[in-house]
């Protein structure tokens, strides 16, 4: 009897070690980054495509490039308070190196080796190219440093356990970069990259399962509004079949939909970002969105 | 008996008036917003170059928007938080100052009277920006 117990305890230990090993926070080493000269213009495009401001800007600050963090981001799991990502050396990410930034964006791991919560959409950002990520980092470094750290997240039990996030990543962070479809035109591929990578549109415009993972079969089919009442619209052709490419482009440019109504809620902040992109990039996003097969 | 009937009638009447006032404000502002969107649709087509510039249509639109901005302050009384079908968020009443500031910005943008495509291309984005700014924090996501 005692031997059986001992074996069980040992097995549990092995299991725990294996879980920790498989799901430990992953890191991209500096040696994995080839030589690169940052392109600040491209970094700015990636910054606005990535929508960093929407969550990390200091609430109510007139200057939206002050990335002091602290906005409350409500979710079914509790409230997140996105951190200071301004280039402040102590309170922001000013003392990070490129590898640490790329690791955060692609692996969801902090410089001190902890899992980030997936409210930080690294499941989408992991699709970005290394060059785009490094340009984005270089651009953020040019923004004003903001003093002050934000409060801790306010998570409901048991969602605050960061160790368990390793298991979540095992299920939902596939480590796949964006791969262009050679059978599609360059514009479509650019749009697919912007929408699925930096733009992280699917993070809100898809339903999630009980574990908080995107239901892949219903990607872009909309779902309940994670921040409160109402729904996030379906953006596949099931709902947008009457919208032309031009109509979608107009929404991304001015926030005005073809019915003469403006987008609201979090999408208003998204449009403030997409309106800063080159027209060609918005048009590419529109072309890709227009191509999404209908999903109910 | 007579007194009681009068009393009950009066009570019911007051109640009904209350409900009517509340659903009135809701239906009035919904009606205004619906009209606004129709004007927006027409003007937006001119800005995009899908329709020729029509001064009459443009003036009608900006007049309608300005009229809405003038009426909005009294269309959100305390008893119109719910009742009819409304997407008005509670923040309208908890942050009245912020809400009033959005209405003021709307009035200012709607005061423009563009006379050609060029001036319209400047004046219209100012209006549509306020639409989004206000709908960002004070209007709930649609149910469907």
């Amino acid at each position: 009897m005692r031997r059986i117990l001992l074996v069980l305890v040992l097995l549990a230990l092995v299991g725990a070690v294996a879980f920790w090993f498989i799901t430990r926070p992953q890191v991209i080493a500096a040696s994995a980054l080839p030589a690169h000269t940052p392109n600040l213009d491209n970094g700015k495009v990636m910054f606005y495509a990535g929508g960093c401001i929407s969550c990390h800007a200091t609430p109510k600050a007139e200057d939206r490039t002050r990335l002091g963090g602290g906005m409350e981001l409500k979710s079914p799991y509790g409230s997140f308070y996105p951190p200071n990502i301004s280039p402040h050396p102590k309170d922001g990410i000013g003392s990070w190196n490129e590898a640490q930034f790329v690791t955060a964006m692609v692996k969801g791991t902090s410089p001190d080796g902890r899992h980030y919560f997936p409210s930080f959409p690294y499941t989408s950002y992991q699709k970005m190219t290394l060059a785009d990520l490094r340009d984005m980092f270089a651009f953020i470094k040019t923004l004003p440093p903001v003093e002050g750290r934000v409060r801790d997240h306010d998570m409901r039990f048991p969602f605050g356990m960061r160790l368990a996030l390793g298991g979540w990543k095992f299920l939902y962070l596939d480590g796949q970069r964006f791969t262009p479809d050679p059978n599609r035109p360059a514009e479509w591929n650019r749009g697919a990259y912007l929408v699925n990578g930096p733009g992280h549109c699917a993070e809100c415009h898809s339903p999630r399962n009980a574990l908080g993972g995107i239901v892949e079969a219903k990607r872009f089919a909309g779902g309940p509004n994670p921040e409160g009442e109402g729904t996030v619209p379906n953006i596949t052709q099931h709902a947008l079949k009457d919208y032309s490419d031009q109509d979608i482009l107009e929404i991304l440019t001015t926030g005005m939909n073809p019915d003469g109504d403006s987008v609201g809620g979090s999408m208003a902040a998204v449009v403030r970002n997409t309106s800063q992109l080159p027209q060609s990039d918005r048009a590419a996003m529109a072309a890709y969105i227009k191509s999404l097969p209908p999903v109910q | 008996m007579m007194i009681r009937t009068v009393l009950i009638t009066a009570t019911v009447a007051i109640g009904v008036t209350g409900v009517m006032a509340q659903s009135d404000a809701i239906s009035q502002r919904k009606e205004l917003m619906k009209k606004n969107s129709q004007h927006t649709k027409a003007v937006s087509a001119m800005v995009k170059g899908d329709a020729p510039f029509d001064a009459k249509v443009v003036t009608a639109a900006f007049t309608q928007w300005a009229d809405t901005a003038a009426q909005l302050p009294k269309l959100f009384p305390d008893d119109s938080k719910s009742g009819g079908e409304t997407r008005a968020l509670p923040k309208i009443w908890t942050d009245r100052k912020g809400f009033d500031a959005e209405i003021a910005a709307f009035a200012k943008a709607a005061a423009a009277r563009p006379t050609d495509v060029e001036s319209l291309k400047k004046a219209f984005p100012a209006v549509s920006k306020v639409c989004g700014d206000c709908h960002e924090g004070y209007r709930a996501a649609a149910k469907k």
Side-chain angles (χ1 to χ4, degrees):
Chain A
M1 183 61 199
R2 270 186 66 183
R3 189 177 289 174
I4 294 176
L5 209 69
L6 197 69
V7 169
L8 280 179
V9 168
L10 269 174
L11 275 177
L13 263 174
V14 169
V17 170
F19 176 84
W20 177 83
F21 186 77
I22 292 170
T23 70
R24 71 195 188 286
Q26 291 181 31
V27 170
I28 293 173
S31 57
L33 302 181
H36 177 71
T37 311
N39 175 338
L40 284 177
D41 290 335
N42 182 51
K44 186 176 178 182
V45 170
M46 287 302 135
F47 176 77
Y48 282 108
C52 316
I53 291 176
S54 295
C55 287
H56 290 282
T58 304
K60 291 184 179 152
E62 196 65 31
D63 178 359
R64 302 305 290 161
T65 63
R66 292 179 63 81
L67 303 174
M71 181 193 91
E72 181 184 8
L73 185 60
K74 287 188 183 139
S75 86
Y77 314 103
S79 283
F80 296 102
Y81 294 88
N84 183 336
I85 59 160
S86 79
H88 191 280
K90 243 182 49 240
D91 298 333
I93 65 172
S95 59
W96 290 21
N97 60 37
E98 277 188 315
Q100 287 170 326
F101 182 80
V102 171
T103 294
M105 295 287 283
V106 174
K107 299 295 182 189
T109 302
S110 69
D112 60 358
R114 289 184 308 152
H115 291 300
Y116 284 123
F117 288 100
S119 51
F120 168 37
Y122 45 77
T123 38
S124 292
Y125 293 151
Q126 65 166 344
K127 297 184 167 67
M128 294 175 68
T129 67
L130 283 181
D132 282 346
L133 286 165
R134 295 164 83 181
D135 291 349
M136 181 195 253
F137 183 51
F139 178 74
I140 291 176
K141 291 264 213 172
T142 68
L143 301 176
V146 181
E147 211 171 288
R149 292 181 163 255
V150 311
R151 53 163 297 176
D152 285 341
H153 300 314
D154 187 10
M155 306 302 293
R156 294 222 311 269
F157 182 82
F159 303 111
M161 301 192 323
R162 285 189 190 253
L163 210 61
L165 290 171
W168 191 92
K169 285 183 183 174
F170 181 74
L171 295 173
Y172 300 113
L173 188 66
D174 61 10
Q176 298 297 314
R177 284 202 199 295
F178 174 76
T179 39
D181 180 348
N183 297 318
R184 298 276 196 167
E187 185 190 44
W188 184 93
N189 275 306
R190 174 71 175 169
Y193 174 72
L194 291 171
V195 166
N196 289 291
H200 66 277
C201 308
E203 302 282 346
C204 289
H205 285 284
S206 311
R208 290 179 182 270
N209 60 27
L211 289 175
I214 287 177
V215 181
E216 279 305 327
K218 300 216 168 204
R219 206 173 174 80
F220 298 117
N225 175 15
E227 294 174 75
E229 56 181 293
T231 56
V232 180
N234 185 325
I235 56 169
T236 72
Q237 284 304 290
H238 172 74
L240 301 191
K241 62 179 188 306
D242 294 334
Y243 283 28
S244 66
D245 290 38
Q246 282 298 316
D247 291 337
I248 300 171
L249 173 61
E250 184 67 18
I251 292 173
L252 296 173
T253 311
T254 65
M256 220 27 108
N257 74 28
D259 305 324
D261 187 6
S262 79
V263 300
S266 312
M267 192 63 195
V270 172
V271 170
R272 276 198 288 274
N273 292 319
T274 52
S275 64
Q276 301 302 309
L277 295 175
Q279 175 86 352
S280 57
D281 278 344
R282 277 194 300 269
M285 292 172 82
Y288 171 73
I289 292 168
K290 183 64 195 169
S291 81
L292 292 172
V295 179
Q296 194 165 1
Chain B
M1 183 60 198
M2 182 65 188
I3 292 176
R4 195 187 285 178
T5 312
V6 170
L7 264 179
I8 289 175
T9 315
T11 315
V12 168
I14 289 167
V16 168
T17 318
V19 168
M20 274 176 60
Q22 152 199 111
S23 59
D24 250 29
I26 293 176
S27 56
Q28 273 180 46
R29 63 202 191 212
K30 280 170 82 167
E31 193 52 39
L32 277 178
M33 286 300 173
K34 202 168 143 194
K35 272 194 208 153
N36 288 344
S37 69
Q38 286 157 356
H39 286 282
T40 303
K41 207 172 157 179
V43 172
S44 179
M46 291 179 214
V47 174
K48 282 189 276 184
D50 295 343
F53 181 83
D54 182 332
K56 248 167 87 182
V57 174
V58 169
T59 305
F62 277 78
T63 309
Q64 154 76 19
W65 296 328
D67 176 53
T68 301
Q71 290 194 52
L72 281 179
K74 55 178 193 291
L75 287 181
F76 292 86
D78 283 345
D79 63 0
S80 70
K81 292 177 188 173
S82 57
E85 234 179 81
T86 178
R87 284 164 68 191
L89 282 176
K91 199 179 159 198
I92 289 174
W93 292 274
T94 56
D95 174 29
R96 191 65 196 217
K97 248 173 101 181
F99 184 63
D100 286 344
E102 298 290 359
I103 297 175
F106 184 29
K108 199 174 155 202
R113 290 292 175 271
T115 48
D116 53 20
V117 183
E118 283 321 301
S119 50
L120 180 65
K121 277 185 175 169
K122 285 204 181 86
F124 180 63
V127 173
S128 64
K129 182 187 174 296
V130 185
C131 300
D133 285 353
C134 195
H135 290 158
E136 178 174 19
Y138 301 97
R139 182 180 70 171
K143 285 274 184 294
K144 181 72 191 144

